[in-house]
Amino acid sequence: QGKLDESIQAYQNAIEIQPNYAETYNNLGNAIQEQGKLDESIQAYQNAIEIQPNYAEAYNNLGNALQEQGKLDESIQAYQNVIEIQPNYAEAYNNLGNALQEQGKLDESIQAYQNAIEIQPDFAGYYSNLGNVLQEQGKLDESIQAHQNAIEIQPNYAGPHNNLGNTLREQGKLDESIQAYQNAIEIQPN
């Protein structure tokens, strides 16, 4: 409902009642992170992990908060911890790909996205992210294919249409690029 203060208070009450319940700390971290209080959310995720050292979701959320702070090496380590605990956690591979791309480690980023796709081949966002990094590498045909895969999976997702437009524009295919942008706008006018 977006009532973050009330949500945070409820989690804090739950922690007072049962202080060793890792899931409550993880949920508290999510609510605090939504408020933009990254240091506090990181502490909540670390508390969850301290209670339950193999808590993959808490490591993933910790990685997201660290990445948001620009602490890419630490976020990458958190995502690697997730994968070590739960090797089929597609979202962690995707998040790892995002952090590696941000560091300019494009080949490693591509591999991470491909791992995410291998685990969860029906998720459009992973293909779209792969398409973006392939474009960054200048592999425009492969980028177009990745974006088209995303669109095929989720035709009403504006992001891949926009990203496809960017790649087509870079190839000089302006009419097709304009059509892709128009498709994105039609799906998400704002």
Side-chain angles (χ1 to χ4, degrees), residues 2 6 21-22 29 32 68 87 90 134 146 153 164-165 171 177 184-185:
E6 291 174 45
Y21 192 48
I32 293 171
E68 205 173 319
L134 288 166
I153 292 166
L164 175 61
Q171 278 193 327
S177 174
I185 292 167

mmCIF file with all atom_site columns, all heavy atoms in Angstrom, residues 2 6 21-22 29 32 68 87 90 134 146 153 164-165 171 177 184-185:
data_model
loop_
_atom_site.group_PDB
_atom_site.id
_atom_site.type_symbol
_atom_site.label_atom_id
_atom_site.label_alt_id
_atom_site.label_comp_id
_atom_site.label_asym_id
_atom_site.label_entity_id
_atom_site.label_seq_id
_atom_site.pdbx_PDB_ins_code
_atom_site.Cartn_x
_atom_site.Cartn_y
_atom_site.Cartn_z
_atom_site.occupancy
_atom_site.B_iso_or_equiv
_atom_site.pdbx_formal_charge
_atom_site.auth_seq_id
_atom_site.auth_comp_id
_atom_site.auth_asym_id
_atom_site.auth_atom_id
_atom_site.pdbx_PDB_model_num
ATOM 1   N N   . GLY A 1 2   ? 2.134  1.127   0.088   1.00 0.00 ? 2   GLY A N   1
ATOM 2   C CA  . GLY A 1 2   ? 2.989  2.306   0.118   1.00 0.00 ? 2   GLY A CA  1
ATOM 3   C C   . GLY A 1 2   ? 3.101  2.955   1.480   1.00 0.00 ? 2   GLY A C   1
ATOM 4   O O   . GLY A 1 2   ? 3.642  4.048   1.611   1.00 0.00 ? 2   GLY A O   1
ATOM 5   N N   . GLU A 1 6   ? 4.544  2.665   8.478   1.00 0.00 ? 6   GLU A N   1
ATOM 6   C CA  . GLU A 1 6   ? 3.757  1.681   9.240   1.00 0.00 ? 6   GLU A CA  1
ATOM 7   C C   . GLU A 1 6   ? 4.331  0.275   9.049   1.00 0.00 ? 6   GLU A C   1
ATOM 8   O O   . GLU A 1 6   ? 4.376  -0.513  9.993   1.00 0.00 ? 6   GLU A O   1
ATOM 9   C CB  . GLU A 1 6   ? 2.294  1.723   8.796   1.00 0.00 ? 6   GLU A CB  1
ATOM 10  C CG  . GLU A 1 6   ? 1.577  2.996   9.188   1.00 0.00 ? 6   GLU A CG  1
ATOM 11  C CD  . GLU A 1 6   ? 0.167  3.076   8.620   1.00 0.00 ? 6   GLU A CD  1
ATOM 12  O OE1 . GLU A 1 6   ? -0.555 2.063   8.704   1.00 0.00 ? 6   GLU A OE1 1
ATOM 13  O OE2 . GLU A 1 6   ? -0.201 4.137   8.095   1.00 0.00 ? 6   GLU A OE2 1
ATOM 14  N N   . TYR A 1 21  ? 14.463 -13.897 13.787  1.00 0.00 ? 21  TYR A N   1
ATOM 15  C CA  . TYR A 1 21  ? 13.711 -14.292 12.609  1.00 0.00 ? 21  TYR A CA  1
ATOM 16  C C   . TYR A 1 21  ? 14.279 -13.519 11.408  1.00 0.00 ? 21  TYR A C   1
ATOM 17  O O   . TYR A 1 21  ? 13.968 -12.340 11.200  1.00 0.00 ? 21  TYR A O   1
ATOM 18  C CB  . TYR A 1 21  ? 12.220 -14.011 12.814  1.00 0.00 ? 21  TYR A CB  1
ATOM 19  C CG  . TYR A 1 21  ? 11.320 -14.623 11.782  1.00 0.00 ? 21  TYR A CG  1
ATOM 20  C CD1 . TYR A 1 21  ? 11.443 -15.957 11.401  1.00 0.00 ? 21  TYR A CD1 1
ATOM 21  C CD2 . TYR A 1 21  ? 10.336 -13.872 11.169  1.00 0.00 ? 21  TYR A CD2 1
ATOM 22  C CE1 . TYR A 1 21  ? 10.611 -16.521 10.446  1.00 0.00 ? 21  TYR A CE1 1
ATOM 23  C CE2 . TYR A 1 21  ? 9.492  -14.426 10.213  1.00 0.00 ? 21  TYR A CE2 1
ATOM 24  C CZ  . TYR A 1 21  ? 9.640  -15.748 9.859   1.00 0.00 ? 21  TYR A CZ  1
ATOM 25  O OH  . TYR A 1 21  ? 8.808  -16.308 8.910   1.00 0.00 ? 21  TYR A OH  1
ATOM 26  N N   . ALA A 1 22  ? 15.110 -14.193 10.635  1.00 0.00 ? 22  ALA A N   1
ATOM 27  C CA  . ALA A 1 22  ? 15.856 -13.553 9.555   1.00 0.00 ? 22  ALA A CA  1
ATOM 28  C C   . ALA A 1 22  ? 14.945 -12.902 8.515   1.00 0.00 ? 22  ALA A C   1
ATOM 29  O O   . ALA A 1 22  ? 15.246 -11.818 8.007   1.00 0.00 ? 22  ALA A O   1
ATOM 30  C CB  . ALA A 1 22  ? 16.769 -14.580 8.882   1.00 0.00 ? 22  ALA A CB  1
ATOM 31  N N   . GLY A 1 29  ? 14.571 -4.547  5.687   1.00 0.00 ? 29  GLY A N   1
ATOM 32  C CA  . GLY A 1 29  ? 15.547 -3.957  4.767   1.00 0.00 ? 29  GLY A CA  1
ATOM 33  C C   . GLY A 1 29  ? 14.896 -3.493  3.478   1.00 0.00 ? 29  GLY A C   1
ATOM 34  O O   . GLY A 1 29  ? 15.203 -2.413  2.968   1.00 0.00 ? 29  GLY A O   1
ATOM 35  N N   . ILE A 1 32  ? 12.899 -0.273  4.190   1.00 0.00 ? 32  ILE A N   1
ATOM 36  C CA  . ILE A 1 32  ? 13.814 0.855   4.434   1.00 0.00 ? 32  ILE A CA  1
ATOM 37  C C   . ILE A 1 32  ? 14.489 1.274   3.127   1.00 0.00 ? 32  ILE A C   1
ATOM 38  O O   . ILE A 1 32  ? 14.661 2.466   2.858   1.00 0.00 ? 32  ILE A O   1
ATOM 39  C CB  . ILE A 1 32  ? 14.856 0.485   5.512   1.00 0.00 ? 32  ILE A CB  1
ATOM 40  C CG1 . ILE A 1 32  ? 14.169 0.315   6.874   1.00 0.00 ? 32  ILE A CG1 1
ATOM 41  C CG2 . ILE A 1 32  ? 15.947 1.532   5.596   1.00 0.00 ? 32  ILE A CG2 1
ATOM 42  C CD1 . ILE A 1 32  ? 15.071 -0.253  7.952   1.00 0.00 ? 32  ILE A CD1 1
ATOM 43  N N   . GLU A 1 68  ? 23.295 0.106   -5.502  1.00 0.00 ? 68  GLU A N   1
ATOM 44  C CA  . GLU A 1 68  ? 22.662 1.427   -5.525  1.00 0.00 ? 68  GLU A CA  1
ATOM 45  C C   . GLU A 1 68  ? 23.577 2.482   -4.901  1.00 0.00 ? 68  GLU A C   1
ATOM 46  O O   . GLU A 1 68  ? 23.549 3.642   -5.293  1.00 0.00 ? 68  GLU A O   1
ATOM 47  C CB  . GLU A 1 68  ? 21.320 1.369   -4.775  1.00 0.00 ? 68  GLU A CB  1
ATOM 48  C CG  . GLU A 1 68  ? 20.336 2.416   -5.205  1.00 0.00 ? 68  GLU A CG  1
ATOM 49  C CD  . GLU A 1 68  ? 18.959 2.231   -4.568  1.00 0.00 ? 68  GLU A CD  1
ATOM 50  O OE1 . GLU A 1 68  ? 18.488 1.084   -4.460  1.00 0.00 ? 68  GLU A OE1 1
ATOM 51  O OE2 . GLU A 1 68  ? 18.371 3.252   -4.192  1.00 0.00 ? 68  GLU A OE2 1
ATOM 52  N N   . PRO A 1 87  ? 22.488 -21.940 -6.797  1.00 0.00 ? 87  PRO A N   1
ATOM 53  C CA  . PRO A 1 87  ? 23.008 -21.794 -8.164  1.00 0.00 ? 87  PRO A CA  1
ATOM 54  C C   . PRO A 1 87  ? 21.959 -21.515 -9.239  1.00 0.00 ? 87  PRO A C   1
ATOM 55  O O   . PRO A 1 87  ? 22.320 -21.043 -10.319 1.00 0.00 ? 87  PRO A O   1
ATOM 56  C CB  . PRO A 1 87  ? 23.699 -23.127 -8.430  1.00 0.00 ? 87  PRO A CB  1
ATOM 57  C CG  . PRO A 1 87  ? 23.936 -23.729 -7.092  1.00 0.00 ? 87  PRO A CG  1
ATOM 58  C CD  . PRO A 1 87  ? 22.861 -23.216 -6.196  1.00 0.00 ? 87  PRO A CD  1
ATOM 59  N N   . ALA A 1 90  ? 18.143 -17.081 -10.891 1.00 0.00 ? 90  ALA A N   1
ATOM 60  C CA  . ALA A 1 90  ? 18.310 -16.311 -12.125 1.00 0.00 ? 90  ALA A CA  1
ATOM 61  C C   . ALA A 1 90  ? 18.449 -14.814 -11.868 1.00 0.00 ? 90  ALA A C   1
ATOM 62  O O   . ALA A 1 90  ? 19.271 -14.137 -12.497 1.00 0.00 ? 90  ALA A O   1
ATOM 63  C CB  . ALA A 1 90  ? 17.135 -16.582 -13.065 1.00 0.00 ? 90  ALA A CB  1
ATOM 64  N N   . LEU A 1 134 ? 25.305 -6.191  -25.357 1.00 0.00 ? 134 LEU A N   1
ATOM 65  C CA  . LEU A 1 134 ? 25.784 -6.546  -26.698 1.00 0.00 ? 134 LEU A CA  1
ATOM 66  C C   . LEU A 1 134 ? 25.895 -5.301  -27.574 1.00 0.00 ? 134 LEU A C   1
ATOM 67  O O   . LEU A 1 134 ? 26.855 -5.150  -28.345 1.00 0.00 ? 134 LEU A O   1
ATOM 68  C CB  . LEU A 1 134 ? 24.847 -7.581  -27.346 1.00 0.00 ? 134 LEU A CB  1
ATOM 69  C CG  . LEU A 1 134 ? 24.922 -8.993  -26.759 1.00 0.00 ? 134 LEU A CG  1
ATOM 70  C CD1 . LEU A 1 134 ? 23.739 -9.834  -27.224 1.00 0.00 ? 134 LEU A CD1 1
ATOM 71  C CD2 . LEU A 1 134 ? 26.251 -9.660  -27.122 1.00 0.00 ? 134 LEU A CD2 1
ATOM 72  N N   . ALA A 1 146 ? 18.473 -10.217 -29.300 1.00 0.00 ? 146 ALA A N   1
ATOM 73  C CA  . ALA A 1 146 ? 18.141 -10.297 -27.875 1.00 0.00 ? 146 ALA A CA  1
ATOM 74  C C   . ALA A 1 146 ? 16.903 -9.449  -27.568 1.00 0.00 ? 146 ALA A C   1
ATOM 75  O O   . ALA A 1 146 ? 15.997 -9.892  -26.849 1.00 0.00 ? 146 ALA A O   1
ATOM 76  C CB  . ALA A 1 146 ? 19.328 -9.851  -27.028 1.00 0.00 ? 146 ALA A CB  1
ATOM 77  N N   . ILE A 1 153 ? 8.664  -12.509 -25.944 1.00 0.00 ? 153 ILE A N   1
ATOM 78  C CA  . ILE A 1 153 ? 8.218  -13.035 -24.646 1.00 0.00 ? 153 ILE A CA  1
ATOM 79  C C   . ILE A 1 153 ? 7.171  -12.125 -24.020 1.00 0.00 ? 153 ILE A C   1
ATOM 80  O O   . ILE A 1 153 ? 6.176  -12.589 -23.476 1.00 0.00 ? 153 ILE A O   1
ATOM 81  C CB  . ILE A 1 153 ? 9.428  -13.202 -23.692 1.00 0.00 ? 153 ILE A CB  1
ATOM 82  C CG1 . ILE A 1 153 ? 10.342 -14.320 -24.209 1.00 0.00 ? 153 ILE A CG1 1
ATOM 83  C CG2 . ILE A 1 153 ? 8.963  -13.498 -22.270 1.00 0.00 ? 153 ILE A CG2 1
ATOM 84  C CD1 . ILE A 1 153 ? 11.697 -14.341 -23.545 1.00 0.00 ? 153 ILE A CD1 1
ATOM 85  N N   . LEU A 1 164 ? 15.556 -1.699  -28.646 1.00 0.00 ? 164 LEU A N   1
ATOM 86  C CA  . LEU A 1 164 ? 15.663 -2.124  -30.038 1.00 0.00 ? 164 LEU A CA  1
ATOM 87  C C   . LEU A 1 164 ? 15.802 -0.899  -30.940 1.00 0.00 ? 164 LEU A C   1
ATOM 88  O O   . LEU A 1 164 ? 16.630 -0.880  -31.864 1.00 0.00 ? 164 LEU A O   1
ATOM 89  C CB  . LEU A 1 164 ? 14.437 -2.953  -30.438 1.00 0.00 ? 164 LEU A CB  1
ATOM 90  C CG  . LEU A 1 164 ? 14.347 -3.385  -31.906 1.00 0.00 ? 164 LEU A CG  1
ATOM 91  C CD1 . LEU A 1 164 ? 15.524 -4.271  -32.292 1.00 0.00 ? 164 LEU A CD1 1
ATOM 92  C CD2 . LEU A 1 164 ? 13.019 -4.111  -32.153 1.00 0.00 ? 164 LEU A CD2 1
ATOM 93  N N   . GLY A 1 165 ? 15.022 0.129   -30.650 1.00 0.00 ? 165 GLY A N   1
ATOM 94  C CA  . GLY A 1 165 ? 15.128 1.381   -31.407 1.00 0.00 ? 165 GLY A CA  1
ATOM 95  C C   . GLY A 1 165 ? 16.529 1.961   -31.343 1.00 0.00 ? 165 GLY A C   1
ATOM 96  O O   . GLY A 1 165 ? 17.068 2.439   -32.357 1.00 0.00 ? 165 GLY A O   1
ATOM 97  N N   . GLN A 1 171 ? 22.581 1.258   -36.135 1.00 0.00 ? 171 GLN A N   1
ATOM 98  C CA  . GLN A 1 171 ? 22.864 0.594   -37.407 1.00 0.00 ? 171 GLN A CA  1
ATOM 99  C C   . GLN A 1 171 ? 22.485 1.465   -38.602 1.00 0.00 ? 171 GLN A C   1
ATOM 100 O O   . GLN A 1 171 ? 22.724 1.083   -39.742 1.00 0.00 ? 171 GLN A O   1
ATOM 101 C CB  . GLN A 1 171 ? 22.083 -0.724  -37.510 1.00 0.00 ? 171 GLN A CB  1
ATOM 102 C CG  . GLN A 1 171 ? 22.723 -1.887  -36.807 1.00 0.00 ? 171 GLN A CG  1
ATOM 103 C CD  . GLN A 1 171 ? 22.072 -3.206  -37.202 1.00 0.00 ? 171 GLN A CD  1
ATOM 104 O OE1 . GLN A 1 171 ? 20.887 -3.286  -37.479 1.00 0.00 ? 171 GLN A OE1 1
ATOM 105 N NE2 . GLN A 1 171 ? 22.893 -4.250  -37.217 1.00 0.00 ? 171 GLN A NE2 1
ATOM 106 N N   . SER A 1 177 ? 13.950 2.059   -36.592 1.00 0.00 ? 177 SER A N   1
ATOM 107 C CA  . SER A 1 177 ? 14.203 2.619   -35.266 1.00 0.00 ? 177 SER A CA  1
ATOM 108 C C   . SER A 1 177 ? 13.014 3.451   -34.801 1.00 0.00 ? 177 SER A C   1
ATOM 109 O O   . SER A 1 177 ? 12.532 3.305   -33.675 1.00 0.00 ? 177 SER A O   1
ATOM 110 C CB  . SER A 1 177 ? 15.477 3.463   -35.302 1.00 0.00 ? 177 SER A CB  1
ATOM 111 O OG  . SER A 1 177 ? 15.679 4.127   -34.091 1.00 0.00 ? 177 SER A OG  1
ATOM 112 N N   . ALA A 1 184 ? 7.158  1.594   -28.398 1.00 0.00 ? 184 ALA A N   1
ATOM 113 C CA  . ALA A 1 184 ? 7.406  1.811   -26.967 1.00 0.00 ? 184 ALA A CA  1
ATOM 114 C C   . ALA A 1 184 ? 6.459  2.876   -26.415 1.00 0.00 ? 184 ALA A C   1
ATOM 115 O O   . ALA A 1 184 ? 5.881  2.710   -25.335 1.00 0.00 ? 184 ALA A O   1
ATOM 116 C CB  . ALA A 1 184 ? 8.862  2.196   -26.727 1.00 0.00 ? 184 ALA A CB  1
ATOM 117 N N   . ILE A 1 185 ? 6.305  3.954   -27.160 1.00 0.00 ? 185 ILE A N   1
ATOM 118 C CA  . ILE A 1 185 ? 5.433  5.049   -26.717 1.00 0.00 ? 185 ILE A CA  1
ATOM 119 C C   . ILE A 1 185 ? 3.975  4.600   -26.672 1.00 0.00 ? 185 ILE A C   1
ATOM 120 O O   . ILE A 1 185 ? 3.236  4.971   -25.761 1.00 0.00 ? 185 ILE A O   1
ATOM 121 C CB  . ILE A 1 185 ? 5.611  6.280   -27.620 1.00 0.00 ? 185 ILE A CB  1
ATOM 122 C CG1 . ILE A 1 185 ? 7.013  6.871   -27.415 1.00 0.00 ? 185 ILE A CG1 1
ATOM 123 C CG2 . ILE A 1 185 ? 4.537  7.319   -27.358 1.00 0.00 ? 185 ILE A CG2 1
ATOM 124 C CD1 . ILE A 1 185 ? 7.412  7.893   -28.473 1.00 0.00 ? 185 ILE A CD1 1
#
